[in-house]
Amino acid sequence: MAFQRRIFSGIQPTGNLHLGNYLGAVRNWVALQAEYECIFCMVDMHAITASLLDPDELRRSTRELAAAMIASGIDPEKNILFNQSQNPDHATLAWIFNCVARMGWMNRMTQFKEKAGKDRENVSLGLFAYPALMAADILVYKATHVPVGEDQKQHLELTRDIAQKFNFDYQKEIFPLTEPQIFGTATRVMSLRDGMKKMSKSDPSDQSRINMTDTADQIADKIKRAKTDPDALPDSIDGLEGRPEAANLMGIYAALAGQTLEQAVADCAGRGFAEFKKLLTEVAVSHLAPITAEMRRLTADPGYVDGILRKGGERARELSAPVVAEIYDTVGFLRP
Ligand code: AMP
Ligand code: TRP
């Protein structure tokens, strides 16, 4: 059976939307919306898996994230933009997937291991089940393609495993085997303080990331203080090997300037970091300032953003309702 091409992606409203989210995910979504039917979801139910959040803060983050996506160029009329909890079908399918996924599969999830750390006995059951909810987010719309950053690859493999096992167990081709779409020059943006660590919302140091809400001065300051090495920039990509900070900053520069890494390296060959950092600041500020300004304008009017999310939620439920009916019949649940 051929499945209609449909794109789904999600992002957590946990504050601090940063350049990694933008370059690794949101910017690619903007490129995809021209061609395909897209569903973009603020996954507020995932956001409470690490710990319960202050309710006002979660509402604020959800609205801010929606504003950031619209400001980055996501068209909420053309696409469906909503927060996950507005469509309870995600949770319904997640429960069924909890009964499909095996403990062994979930135990292998590196993101869980990283987030749980040494405190495995004390993390929430929701954190462990997180990837099953993610599979439900995608498959409740039978989405065929999921654009994400590289860190989500393993979760998408699990999504395929769940789809495959469900299809096999019920001997029906209900779910597609979803493909990850990992593309762009910055699929893994690293911390400004440590080129071996991913730029992350949860890094305690704000200096480690460029936030989408940062002012031009903050961006300049963070880039100025970003970790580097003492050498000048190389004249080939090979010369970036073993220089994680240089590679990261060059990757960011290329992505923001709209160049390939080869072009960017050629342009900057032989420059010292002081000079390069000025160039990087210029492209970062000129790219991000209009987005930040638009975000501020949108967040000043929460009613507008709430209206978009509500309408998106309705459209999302219309798409998932027939899938859930099909799942009820397949599993043997009596329909309401
Ligand atoms: P999260 O912030 O974990 O909800 O991630 C939202 C999206 O941003 C996902 O598609 C991630 O793969 C992507 N992402 C998060 N951090 C980075 C990063 N440092 N570099 C590139 N992509 C990222
Ligand atoms: N786990 C993803 C992240 O942290 C967010 C997410 C939740 C997601 N559900 C999804 C991404 C469905 C893509 C598709 O980045």
Side-chain angles (χ1 to χ4, degrees), residues 6 8 34 46 51 62 65 82 93 106 110 119 142 147 173 178 196 206 210 233 261-262 273 276:
R6 183 178 280 170
F8 181 96
H46 278 107
S51 63
T62 304
L65 181 59
F82 73 112
L93 188 57
M106 306 301 274
T110 51
D119 203 18
K142 299 195 181 192
E173 210 189 336
T178 306
M196 303 298 280
D206 196 57
I210 293 178
L233 286 163
L261 192 58
E262 283 85 354
F273 274 105
F276 170 67

Side-chain angles (χ1 to χ4, degrees), residues 215-228:
T215 61
D217 285 348
Q218 283 171 314
I219 294 175
D221 182 59
K222 286 177 180 179
I223 292 177
K224 201 163 153 198
R225 295 212 258 158
K227 187 173 167 197
T228 52

Side-chain angles (χ1 to χ4, degrees), residues 155-281:
H155 286 156
L156 289 172
E157 278 157 19
L158 182 89
T159 301
R160 291 164 71 94
D161 290 342
I162 289 176
Q164 205 153 22
K165 180 162 163 52
F166 186 97
N167 289 349
F168 179 81
D169 285 349
Y170 291 106
Q171 285 297 304
K172 277 193 201 169
E173 210 189 336
I174 304 242
F175 293 121
L177 300 185
T178 306
E179 301 277 350
Q181 290 181 297
I182 300 169
F183 60 87
T185 31
T187 54
R188 196 171 165 80
V189 177
M190 308 309 275
S191 157
L192 298 181
R193 308 298 288 172
D194 177 352
M196 303 298 280
K197 250 173 61 185
K198 192 175 80 160
M199 185 178 284
S200 152
K201 286 172 181 168
S202 53
D203 194 313
S205 164
D206 196 57
Q207 289 290 329
S208 70
R209 63 181 161 259
I210 293 178
N211 299 307
M212 298 302 286
T213 46
D214 283 348
T215 61
D217 285 348
Q218 283 171 314
I219 294 175
D221 182 59
K222 286 177 180 179
I223 292 177
K224 201 163 153 198
R225 295 212 258 158
K227 187 173 167 197
T228 52
D229 56 43
D231 298 332
L233 286 163
D235 55 11
S236 74
I237 292 187
D238 292 347
L240 290 171
E241 201 145 314
R243 299 178 65 186
E245 283 82 18
N248 186 40
L249 295 180
M250 280 307 303
I252 293 174
Y253 176 83
L256 287 172
Q259 294 183 337
T260 63
L261 192 58
E262 283 85 354
Q263 282 168 334
V265 168
D267 281 3
C268 300
R271 292 183 201 252
F273 274 105
E275 192 189 352
F276 170 67
K277 281 179 165 184
K278 283 199 190 112
L279 283 178
L280 179 59
T281 302

